[in-house]
């Protein structure tokens, strides 16, 4: 997962723990990855702000309330939780701890979901332009228009639902 994520992101580790696990963690991360230990919540928040000050967009992944400020400050904050009913309200997304190994697929699903939303707008736009064209030409009765309008919404919802389910299935999320 870390290798996959490093293709898209510059990875950095901020931990409130001491550096006893540094040697073990170094083997998981790319050589250029920076690691910071004994970080307090304020340190993490300031680190995120500094990265953003350099023009970087930041995705923060945190597992505790001590990460809430940094999660909220980042462009995307993902809370890792043992129990999804206990999550940080400062996060944009919640991932069960046992599913952490799927984080790269979670990211791919988010990117694909954005494309599905764009296509949903395209479908809606084409549907409405077509309907408007027929209505202006007088080829659409009010009754037919009243039936077609909710069908447009249903079409977009069905497309979105089925597309996301198919993408999630293919990604094994």
């Amino acid at each position: 997962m870390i290798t996959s994520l490093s293709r898209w992101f510059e990875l950095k580790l901020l931990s409130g723990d001491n550096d006893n696990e540094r040697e073990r963690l170094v083997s998981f991360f790319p050589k250029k990855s920076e690691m910071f230990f004994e970080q307090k919540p304020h340190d993490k928040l300031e680190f995120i702000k500094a990265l953003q000050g350099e023009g970087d967009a930041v995705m923060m992944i945190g597992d505790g309330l001590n990460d809430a400020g940094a999660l909220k400050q980042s462009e995307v904050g993902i809370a890792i939780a043992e129990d999804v009913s206990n999550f940080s309200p400062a996060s944009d997304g919640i991932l069960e701890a046992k599913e952490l190994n799927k984080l790269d697929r979670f990211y791919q699903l988010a990117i694909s979901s954005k494309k599905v939303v764009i296509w949903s707008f395209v479908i809606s736009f084409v549907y409405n332009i077509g309907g408007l064209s027929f209505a202006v030409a007088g080829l659409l009765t009010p009754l037919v228009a009243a039936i077609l309008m909710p069908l447009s919404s249903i079409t977009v919802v069905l497309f979105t639902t089925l597309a996301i389910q198919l993408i999630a299935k293919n990604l094994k999320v």
Side-chain angles (χ1 to χ4, degrees):
M1 174 202 66
I2 290 173
T3 301
S4 179
L5 287 172
S6 68
R7 285 184 272 164
W8 300 304
F9 300 108
E10 182 179 331
L11 303 178
K12 299 178 187 297
L13 175 73
L14 299 175
S15 176
D17 298 332
N18 60 38
D19 67 351
N20 288 342
E21 294 293 318
R22 180 185 295 270
E23 292 307 313
R24 190 171 74 82
L25 291 170
V26 164
S27 66
F28 291 109
F29 284 82
K31 294 194 185 310
K32 63 183 177 178
S33 299
E34 295 178 282
M35 296 186 177
F36 302 91
F37 295 92
E38 298 181 18
Q39 299 292 298
K40 298 191 176 6
H42 183 266
D43 299 329
K44 293 176 184 181
L45 176 60
E46 291 304 314
F47 190 86
I48 299 298
K49 286 181 180 179
L51 289 173
Q52 291 169 328
E54 296 171 6
D56 292 339
V58 178
M59 179 169 78
M60 167 78 179
I61 301 162
D63 66 349
L65 285 175
N66 62 338
D67 296 323
L71 287 168
K72 186 171 183 160
Q73 179 65 37
S74 62
E75 278 74 16
V76 178
I78 306 293
I80 305 299
E82 293 291 332
D83 179 5
V84 291
S85 62
N86 298 327
F87 66 93
S88 171
S91 62
D92 298 305
I94 306 160
L95 193 60
E96 282 187 82
K98 68 181 181 182
E99 302 294 334
L100 180 60
N101 63 332
K102 295 181 181 177
L103 187 60
D104 56 334
R105 288 178 269 172
F106 184 68
Y107 173 72
Q108 290 173 325
L109 178 63
I111 296 298
S112 297
S113 296
K114 183 178 174 183
K115 291 175 185 172
V116 168
V117 168
I118 290 168
W119 274 107
S120 295
F121 278 117
V122 169
I123 290 169
S124 179
F125 182 75
V126 168
Y127 192 95
N128 286 306
I129 291 297
L132 184 62
S133 300
F134 283 109
V136 168
L139 301 173
L140 204 59
T141 67
L143 177 63
V144 173
I147 292 169
L148 290 178
M149 201 57 211
L151 282 177
S152 136
S153 298
I154 291 169
T155 302
V156 169
V157 168
L158 279 173
F159 167 75
T160 304
T161 303
L162 294 174
I164 296 297
Q165 285 179 346
L166 180 64
I167 292 166
K169 182 179 177 183
N170 287 340
L171 292 172
K172 296 180 173 107
V173 179

